[in-house]
Amino acid sequence: MFSLTPDRSAVLQALADTFIPPLPDGSPSGSAGVNLDKLQDAIREQPEGAQAEFGKLLDLLEKPLLGLTWFGPLKPFRKLEPAQREQLLQSWASSNVPQLRKGFQALRKLCTLLYYGGSMAAVPAAWGRLGYPGPDEKPVDTPKPIRTLRPTEATTYECDVLVIGSGAGGGVVAGELAQAGQDVLVLEKGPYCHGCDFTQREVDMLGKLYDAKGTLSTQDGSIGILAGACLGGGTTVNWAGAFRTPDYVLQEWAREHDAPHFTTLEFKESLNAVARTIGVNTNYTRHNGQNQALWDGSTKLGQEVKLIPRNEKGLSDSDTHFRSLGYTTLGDAHGIKQGTLNTYLLTAFEHGARILADTKVDRVTIANGRATGAEAVHTTEKGQQIRIIVKAKRVVVAGGAIQTPALLLRSGLKHPHLGRHLHLHPTVVVGARYPQAMNSWHGPSMSVVNDTYTQLHGTNFGAKLETPPTHPGLLSMVLPWLSGQQHHELLRDASHLGSFIVLTRDRDGGRVTIDKNGASLIDYALSDFDRANMLEGVRAAAHIHVAAGATQVYLPHGTLPTLHAKDGVLQNPEVLDKLPHLSWKSNQFGLYSAHQMSTCRMGGDAATHPLKLNGETVEVHNLFVADGSAFPACSGVNPMLTIMALAHFTAQGMKAGRSVEARAEVV
């Protein structure tokens, strides 16, 4: 297990001061705001091989041989002059050696996130200088409405249905089956948080609510992956966008994957049912600065924009509610967002379901070709780890498209397509500076969408233009670093920054495997086809920023190509024209994913699809999957509502005990 020695701690402090130097106005240097204990905790969440690699990277920085990596003096990092330290990091950032680019990005992202995201107990001094107010007052503490199990010793449970995972898939299945009278047990890897448990500070909440403490990534480090790992899963931390699956995607799934149920009346009824339950609406009254810019710029260019349906209830037009909406990706302290935590899981509990949080499932148990339960480890409030055995008649796995295939592989499933076809909706951020204050950390993170570019060149593939949360920790990771002063000053302008995301429906996928310890390993390389579509979206986003009144547009490449505009007219279009001709190797640009799909895909051909059309695995009877991994391909929209609808549809079949083919009624 990775550990911080005194030498490693010292070199990390020197790195933090290089990435984030002090400014003349008194902005403190990086080491004053980076909590190394939290950094160590984040590294320990990585697979064993990645932990060892990070340790070797820090040890290299303590050796004179370090000089060979950048043709500089043969001195350890701490013995270099400040200017030399910066030159070394700049050399690594643009190196032709993939491992050096990976090392640079890992160190940069950790240091900047911990500094700007508030890893110290005190309110970060940097926040005031950014104009970032941080989360509002704490809500009134209210009792937790769900009483979870709290075993203190090794325990065996028996149930009709074991549900592994509690997000958009698992939560819905649990609620539906418990309400139908079945004895349901839910196991969730993450904690149960409610109300004022959600401090809404980035580092705290990323560490508590997200898989790998918010540091999940591909093996090469080039794609940062955000996945919920708490009770309610992704529905607790997502951006509240409740998109219906596009008809052209459902038709594609039915046609290309021999899955006709996606175009049936019953599936549409499942979409309607979950939308009603989670309160999908467009009744909000205000946009924040960057959503208004997306609306205004698109409209000026003659492009259609739409309001994004959101799953919120009890929302007023007060400034308090408006401000608080910007923080709900870090947990909704006011209970406005209607994720499974406030809907299906509550229903499940009220109908007798038992829920056990802080419990990691090691494997599903299988006997005579049938699922019989699971073996897991529960961590008590005191940190003690105890064994949990579950005996179940049926098992539903809903751990998300990264952890579900990893669990099935650990459990001995061997389908050749299990873990393959990983889709990520790879996403880049196009930021811009506006003359007026944007304060984009307030208000709905996403309330406007531009779908002009979703079906490019006569295909079903392209990009959506939306807006992301823009809290300073995440913002610091996505904005390119050219030098310590440049990056620090760019973040100082955060209150005037507005950002759009280019969310790409990827045609070509990656893969999830496991290491010798059973930990998930993620491999994904953006294909030329998908990158070309992404860059068309980037060009479109840049023009919309300019039309909306931005004066500078920061393009999503490590060299930070910058567009300049005046009075709505782009002054240096040649920079935009050159963008596709830059080098787009891994870790030369920032790529992110908040949507993971299709690693245990459903379809009519058992040779190429690990799931039957009713959600049951083709290898093991009574073992079902109900999450985004079951998608035949990616949804092309934020997938929460589609996952919930598919889980609802699967649950109806489990209630009836009938095959999906017998239930299909095509509309």
Side-chain angles (χ1 to χ4, degrees):
M1 182 177 291
F2 174 81
S3 61
L4 276 179
T5 63
D7 282 346
R8 287 175 173 179
S9 296
V11 78
L12 280 166
Q13 288 177 321
L15 284 162
D17 287 341
T18 309
F19 283 120
I20 312 157
L23 293 182
D25 65 1
S27 294
S29 62
S31 61
V34 172
N35 185 321
L36 294 184
D37 289 336
K38 290 186 182 292
L39 186 149
Q40 178 176 262
D41 291 343
I43 297 301
R44 287 180 173 177
E45 289 291 317
Q46 310 306 312
E48 185 179 282
Q51 293 187 45
E53 186 178 347
F54 191 77
K56 290 177 181 177
L57 175 66
L58 295 181
D59 295 341
L60 171 64
L61 287 160
E62 280 292 285
K63 296 176 180 177
L65 287 175
L66 175 68
L68 298 179
T69 67
W70 67 295
F71 304 108
L74 294 175
K75 295 180 180 180
F77 188 79
R78 286 189 287 155
K79 295 288 181 66
L80 297 173
E81 297 297 321
Q84 293 174 321
R85 295 177 180 180
E86 186 168 80
Q87 289 166 13
L88 180 150
L89 294 176
Q90 290 166 338
S91 170
W92 282 17
S94 59
S95 174
N96 287 323
V97 180
Q99 292 86 346
L100 294 180
R101 297 197 306 271
K102 176 183 177 180
F104 165 80
Q105 293 294 356
L107 294 167
R108 180 188 73 85
K109 290 176 182 178
L110 281 168
C111 288
T112 56
L113 172 64
L114 291 168
Y115 179 86
Y116 290 105
S119 64
M120 297 298 200
V123 174
W127 283 6
R129 292 179 172 85
L130 301 179
Y132 178 67
D136 277 345
E137 76 285 347
K138 284 190 175 182
V140 175
D141 193 11
T142 56
K144 291 183 174 180
I146 296 173
R147 293 186 299 279
T148 57
L149 300 173
R150 294 186 178 182
T152 56
E153 59 186 11
T155 305
T156 297
Y157 297 100
E158 295 187 9
C159 60
D160 292 334
V161 182
L162 168 62
V163 179
I164 301 169
S166 63
V172 171
V173 169
E176 286 292 311
L177 296 185
Q179 198 169 16
Q182 300 194 29
D183 180 16
V184 175
L185 173 65
V186 178
L187 300 185
E188 166 56 52
K189 180 172 74 170
Y192 173 28
C193 296
H194 170 74
C196 61
D197 294 332
F198 298 118
T199 66
Q200 298 184 326
R201 287 178 62 136
E202 283 182 277
V203 171
D204 290 346
M205 294 295 94
L206 286 169
K208 196 166 191 176
L209 305 178
Y210 288 78
D211 205 358
K213 298 188 181 296
T215 62
L216 193 66
S217 73
T218 51
Q219 284 204 83
D220 66 1
S222 65
I223 307 176
I225 295 174
L226 293 173
C230 56
L231 200 64
T235 71
T236 297
V237 298
N238 69 11
W239 308 354
F243 291 85
R244 284 180 174 261
T245 329
D247 286 341
Y248 69 85
V249 171
L250 293 175
Q251 291 161 7
E252 173 196 298
W253 290 357
R255 180 181 66 253
E256 296 185 7
H257 297 273
D258 195 15
H261 62 292
F262 284 112
T263 55
T264 63
L265 178 61
E266 284 182 301
F267 188 77
K268 184 176 290 186
E269 288 174 344
S270 285
L271 273 168
N272 292 338
V274 295
R276 284 193 302 270
T277 299
I278 66 173
V280 175
N281 68 89
T282 54
N283 297 336
Y284 47 87
T285 58
R286 296 164 64 183
H287 301 300
N288 66 14
Q290 61 189 15
N291 278 281
Q292 192 64 54
L294 179 55
W295 184 282
D296 293 344
S298 298
T299 303
K300 287 180 180 178
L301 294 175
Q303 298 174 11
E304 183 183 6
V305 279
K306 303 171 187 174
L307 295 178
I308 295 175
R310 296 173 60 84
N311 60 313
E312 291 156 340
K313 188 168 71 175
L315 188 63
S316 73
D317 58 1
S318 70
D319 283 343
T320 297
H321 273 185
F322 178 75
R323 289 194 302 269
S324 71
L325 286 178
Y327 296 88
T328 59
T329 55
L330 305 170
D332 179 11
H334 296 272
I336 293 169
K337 184 161 59 175
Q338 300 301 296
T340 59
L341 196 57
N342 293 326
T343 55
Y344 284 99
L345 287 172
L346 189 56
T347 296
F349 172 71
E350 290 170 345
H351 286 81
R354 292 164 290 168
I355 299 174
L356 180 57
D358 299 299
T359 303
K360 183 179 183 296
V361 178
D362 290 332
R363 70 184 186 99
V364 174
T365 54
I366 299 166
N368 300 318
R370 294 180 177 273
T372 59
E375 297 175 356
V377 176
H378 171 70
T379 303
T380 68
E381 288 185 47
K382 295 181 180 179
Q384 178 189 5
Q385 292 194 334
I386 58 176
R387 295 296 301 177
I388 300 295
I389 302 294
V390 180
K391 298 178 180 179
K393 297 174 183 176
R394 291 187 288 185
V395 177
V396 180
V397 180
I402 304 300
Q403 300 305 339
T404 284
L407 172 58
L408 296 179
L409 289 167
R410 288 199 301 272
S411 304
L413 275 71
K414 300 182 184 300
H415 194 285
H417 287 259
L418 180 59
R420 294 186 182 272
H421 314 290
L422 171 66
H423 293 290
L424 295 177
H425 281 169
T427 297
V428 290
V429 178
V430 181
R433 189 191 191 282
Y434 285 81
Q436 72 276 18
M438 301 293 277
N439 296 329
S440 296
W441 37 70
H442 288 155
S445 297
M446 53 186 300
S447 57
V448 173
V449 60
N450 181 324
D451 281 338
T452 304
Y453 304 91
T454 54
Q455 292 177 278
L456 292 172
H457 312 299
T459 73
N460 283 352
F461 299 94
K464 295 176 80 71
L465 304 182
E466 303 172 349
T467 62
T470 55
H471 302 285
L474 291 173
L475 195 61
S476 72
M477 291 198 297
V478 302
L479 290 174
W481 185 97
L482 300 181
S483 71
Q485 183 172 344
Q486 163 269 332
H487 191 261
H488 205 155
E489 289 178 348
L490 189 57
L491 264 293
R492 287 287 310 279
D493 223 13
S495 63
H496 283 259
L497 293 180
S499 297
F500 302 155
I501 59 170
V502 179
L503 188 153
T504 310
R505 183 176 189 234
D506 45 332
R507 182 192 70 180
D508 305 313
R511 187 178 184 185
V512 175
T513 55
I514 55 175
D515 67 10
K516 63 181 181 181
N517 299 312
S520 59
L521 301 174
I522 308 166
D523 290 291
Y524 186 101
L526 187 68
S527 71
D528 292 345
F529 175 88
D530 292 325
R531 184 179 69 247
N533 285 344
M534 181 190 79
L535 290 179
E536 285 201 48
V538 169
R539 170 179 281 273
H543 282 301
I544 292 169
H545 271 308
V546 171
T551 54
Q552 287 95 35
V553 180
Y554 305 114
L555 300 176
H557 189 273
T559 57
L560 194 60
T562 301
L563 303 177
H564 299 279
K566 184 177 181 181
D567 299 326
V569 178
L570 183 58
Q571 302 296 299
N572 54 339
E574 68 280 0
V575 173
L576 197 54
D577 294 337
K578 292 176 182 176
L579 193 64
H581 305 292
L582 298 176
S583 178
W584 292 91
K585 296 176 183 176
S586 64
N587 289 305
Q588 290 182 328
F589 64 109
L591 199 56
Y592 296 87
S593 167
H595 310 149
Q596 302 88 46
M597 299 153 286
S598 307
T599 49
C600 192
R601 63 184 187 172
M602 172 184 290
D605 183 357
T608 55
H609 295 76
L611 290 189
K612 302 174 188 176
L613 299 184
N614 64 352
E616 189 178 35
T617 64
V618 300
E619 294 181 80
V620 179
H621 292 300
N622 296 335
L623 177 58
F624 294 79
V625 172
D627 58 22
S629 71
F631 288 6
C634 59
S635 57
V637 297
N638 303 56
M640 175 183 70
L641 203 66
T642 309
I643 295 171
M644 298 182 84
L646 183 54
H648 182 276
F649 184 88
T650 299
Q652 308 320 303
M654 293 181 70
K655 292 178 195 177
R658 298 195 304 271
S659 69
V660 73
E661 292 86 348
R663 297 186 290 124
E665 177 188 336
V666 179
V667 292

